[in-house]
Amino acid sequence: EVQLVESGGGLVQPGGSLRLSCAASGFTFSSYWMNWVRQAPGKGLEWVANIKQDGSEIYYVNSVKGRFTISRDNAKKSLYLQMNSLRGEDTAVYYCAGQVVVSATNWYFDLWGRGTLVTVSS
Amino acid sequence: DIQMTQSPSSLSASVGDRVTITCRASQSISSYLNWYQQRPGKAPKLLIYAASSLQSGVPSRFSGSGSGTDFTLTISSLQPEDFATYYCQQTYNSPYFGQGTKLEIK
């Protein structure tokens, strides 16, 4: 069974740090671009960051640049998101998503985890 | 950045209705657009990629069309499980989503 399972969410104070993990199983993790997508309570989807299969390319949404770091360990079939200097607006459910790439402009997210909730509050 | 605008933001319809949701890009994105469905409390699910290609396992009542700046997702005959929120996503450059369209039962 194909699975992505996120963990590491919780309550953190503003300015604090948190590290999210996403464990993959049932598919060839090292063949996928991987992403983090978040959803604030009652709001829409926001792409956060992605990483190429070998980690050689990484991209972030502007609002998290310099604060968040995406990484992966293909041997452990795991994706990570290190989140520093957290703000209230980072409160969201964080999903990891696997990306199928057909071409540079033709790709889609066809694998999703169930998400982990991050709450930034004092 | 390319902005994606969905309309309507919410929609009420009945089982059996034909429903169309629109997504407009702030500049041409060719056919590089995906559609996702998200049921309450669940992860998103891919429905359509590259504007009109139906993802494997998705019912044929779902269809997508459009190119350039204007795109539509059509559900030909609404089923109870289709009441959810729908998002478009452009893949021309950064993977930004539209704001979503909530489809509710009338």
Side-chain angles (χ1 to χ4, degrees), chain A residues 60-69 82 84-85 87:
Chain A
Y60 299 97
V61 68
N62 285 341
S63 59
V64 308
K65 282 181 182 177
R67 301 189 300 123
F68 289 12
T69 302
Q82 177 67 43
N84 298 331
S85 303
R87 307 166 180 166

Side-chain angles (χ1 to χ4, degrees), chain B residues 18-53:
Chain B
R18 179 183 179 90
V19 166
T20 297
I21 297 169
T22 297
C23 182
R24 174 165 289 175
S26 58
Q27 66 185 72
S28 177
I29 57 170
S30 185
S31 61
Y32 303 126
L33 184 105
N34 303 328
W35 290 98
Y36 298 85
Q37 175 195 65
Q38 187 180 33
R39 297 185 176 120
K42 301 295 185 181
K45 172 188 173 183
L46 176 70
L47 298 175
I48 302 283
Y49 63 95
S52 60
S53 295

Side-chain angles (χ1 to χ4, degrees), chain B residues 37-74:
Chain B
Q37 175 195 65
Q38 187 180 33
R39 297 185 176 120
K42 301 295 185 181
K45 172 188 173 183
L46 176 70
L47 298 175
I48 302 283
Y49 63 95
S52 60
S53 295
L54 191 68
Q55 171 68 343
S56 176
V58 174
S60 59
R61 63 181 180 273
F62 291 92
S63 64
S65 64
S67 65
T69 61
D70 294 318
F71 301 85
T72 58
L73 172 71
T74 299

Side-chain angles (χ1 to χ4, degrees), chain A residues 1-5 22-27 111-114:
Chain A
E1 181 191 6
V2 172
Q3 267 196 317
L4 290 170
V5 179
C22 172
S25 60
F27 67 100
L111 302 175
W112 293 79
R114 292 187 173 185

Side-chain angles (χ1 to χ4, degrees), chain B residues 88-102:
Chain B
C88 61
Q89 177 195 41
Q90 64 97 354
T91 67
Y92 186 76
N93 46 33
S94 296
Y96 297 140
F97 294 89
Q99 82 277 17
T101 295
K102 187 173 183 179

Side-chain angles (χ1 to χ4, degrees), chain A residues 37-114:
Chain A
V37 176
R38 68 184 178 183
Q39 186 169 37
K43 302 298 184 182
L45 301 172
E46 181 184 35
W47 171 79
V48 174
N50 65 2
I51 184 169
K52 195 177 179 180
Q53 291 92 332
D54 61 0
S56 61
E57 293 183 40
I58 288 174
Y59 301 95
Y60 299 97
V61 68
N62 285 341
S63 59
V64 308
K65 282 181 182 177
R67 301 189 300 123
F68 289 12
T69 302
I70 188 173
S71 62
R72 65 190 295 162
D73 185 331
N74 287 339
K76 294 183 177 180
K77 298 182 181 180
S78 292
L79 176 72
Y80 306 101
L81 186 67
Q82 177 67 43
M83 304 186 296
N84 298 331
S85 303
L86 282 160
R87 307 166 180 166
E89 55 265 36
D90 296 318
T91 294
V93 173
Y94 285 73
Y95 296 100
C96 66
Q99 177 179 346
V100 170
V101 177
V102 179
S103 69
T105 50
N106 183 5
W107 44 262
Y108 47 87
F109 299 170
D110 75 333
L111 302 175
W112 293 79
R114 292 187 173 185

